[in-house]
Amino acid sequence: DRIENYENYMRLHPLMEEGVRYALSLRESLPGRYDQGEYFVLLQEGETQPIEEGVYEAHKRYWDIQILIEGKELVKWQEISKLTECVPYEEKKDAVFYTGDGISFQLTEGMFYLVMPKDAHMPCRHGKQEAHYRKLVLKLPVL
């Protein structure tokens, strides 16, 4: 969806409104991690990678709300139940990795998506042409 519509999703998580507002306040900050009590925001910047070279990731302790603030990226998604685990869950990184088929969607500046623990995603990808991106990743704790 578009970030201006985020209020439609507020009832999904009690920290979502506060978290999104805080994340958006960091738009002009330097890339890095910004802790805010129960949640944190990662400000990331880089170049996309070929979609055929990626693997899916999923998280058990946090939801991801990824907000693209500059550039574009291709993202792949699939339910973890339809994928094959290739790297076991690592508690410290809160990440498990998968391979398999899924659907792709294009994010452009001003769009966001949300993934929960049942969702695997392959972010920061491109099809034919590399692209620059700058985004905010809001990490909300699973309730």
Side-chain angles (χ1 to χ4, degrees):
D1 203 345
R2 304 243 1 120
I3 194 58
E4 58 264 21
N5 299 323
Y6 82 90
E7 290 179 352
N8 295 329
Y9 304 89
M10 290 301 102
R11 66 180 166 267
L12 294 176
H13 194 289
L15 294 171
M16 190 163 173
E17 183 171 12
E18 175 187 331
V20 170
R21 288 182 192 274
Y22 177 70
L24 293 174
S25 77
L26 299 171
R27 288 179 193 225
E28 303 301 320
S29 299
L30 295 174
R33 179 177 167 144
Y34 296 85
D35 289 286
Q36 192 69 14
E38 296 181 69
Y39 62 89
F40 62 95
V41 176
L42 302 171
L43 197 156
Q44 301 173 337
E45 188 168 17
E47 303 303 317
T48 57
Q49 301 296 313
I51 198 158
E52 58 276 355
E53 294 177 11
V55 294
Y56 294 90
E57 64 182 72
H59 312 289
K60 294 184 180 184
R61 294 188 329 228
Y62 290 95
W63 292 10
D64 271 15
I65 299 172
Q66 301 208 11
I67 306 166
L68 194 64
I69 54 175
E70 185 180 301
K72 63 182 181 177
E73 71 174 311
L74 191 61
V75 178
K76 243 177 144 173
W77 171 89
Q78 185 56 271
E79 290 180 40
I80 61 172
S81 63
K82 296 180 180 176
L83 298 171
T84 302
E85 186 177 304
C86 63
V87 178
Y89 180 72
E90 187 176 328
E91 181 80 28
K92 187 175 180 179
K93 292 183 180 180
D94 185 37
V96 57
F97 296 93
Y98 298 92
T99 59
D101 293 324
I103 62 168
S104 300
F105 55 94
Q106 181 76 54
L107 254 67
T108 57
E109 189 173 313
M111 295 179 75
F112 79 99
Y113 68 95
L114 179 148
V115 289
M116 298 178 188
K118 69 173 185 57
D119 301 311
H121 58 293
M122 187 187 308
C124 308
R125 301 288 147 190
H126 66 262
K128 295 180 181 177
Q129 188 172 17
E130 183 179 287
H132 179 76
Y133 68 88
R134 181 174 167 89
K135 67 181 178 174
L136 300 158
V137 181
L138 171 59
K139 305 288 266 184
L140 295 176
V142 171
L143 302 175

